[in-house]
Amino acid sequence: MSGATKPIPVVDGDSAPFWNGCREGKLLIQRCLTCGNHLFYPRVVCPHCMSDRIEWTESSGRGKVYSFTVARVPAGEAFAEDVPYVVALVELEEGVRMMTNLTGVSPDDVRCDMPVEVVFEERDGFAFPKFTPRG
Ligand code: ZN
């Protein structure tokens, strides 16, 4: 048991819809109404075409492991009880990539291109999107 507490997100006007969606069990990402590309992380201007015509849309929550690493040394005392844990870059079906953790899978069994789907873990008033193997 450690006395350290895990960090929580700093929510601002750009990211509030994302975190509110997570609390409702929805993985919200942005889509550019000018060029059609999906965007993540939240922003006010499309990095593909510089348009500010951006809307929020619900992701399927499905994707695949693009890359990952296994943390065997915790990133601070608050994470000491979690090691080993998987830090992954998941590529969603919509094409954007999201830094996350994998859950429900042994770190030794994680592979690139593994199909995964979102799950939400509640902590400190937030619902954190994590991913677990699909199928
Ligand atoms: Zn665009």
Side-chain angles (χ1 to χ4, degrees):
M1 193 71 182
S2 81
T5 56
K6 293 179 179 177
I8 60 171
V10 176
V11 179
D12 61 19
D14 298 338
S15 64
F18 174 80
W19 292 112
N20 290 337
C22 288
R23 289 190 187 94
E24 297 173 2
K26 297 175 180 178
L27 188 64
L28 300 185
I29 58 176
Q30 293 172 309
R31 191 175 72 90
C32 175
L33 293 170
T34 300
C35 73
N37 281 300
H38 286 90
L39 316 175
F40 187 83
Y41 52 88
R43 53 192 113 193
V44 295
V45 173
C46 174
H48 303 282
C49 74
M50 302 306 288
S51 170
D52 63 357
R53 297 179 58 236
I54 291 171
E55 69 172 1
W56 285 95
T57 184
E58 185 174 357
S59 165
S60 70
R62 293 186 297 269
K64 62 183 180 182
V65 174
Y66 179 80
S67 186
F68 70 98
T69 189
V70 178
R72 300 184 189 280
V73 177
E77 183 186 350
F79 296 91
E81 295 176 357
D82 296 339
V83 292
Y85 56 87
V86 181
V87 178
L89 197 56
V90 166
E91 185 170 283
L92 297 176
E93 288 180 338
E94 293 84 4
V96 296
R97 295 175 188 154
M98 186 174 290
M99 188 74 75
T100 184
N101 293 123
L102 298 189
T103 185
V105 60
S106 167
D108 293 335
D109 293 335
V110 177
R111 298 288 181 270
C112 286
D113 290 333
M114 171 184 281
V116 292
E117 63 188 358
V118 72
V119 293
F120 294 95
E121 285 190 8
E122 295 186 17
R123 172 174 63 81
D124 298 328
F126 286 87
F128 293 91
K130 300 189 175 185
F131 287 78
T132 193
R134 169 165 51 98

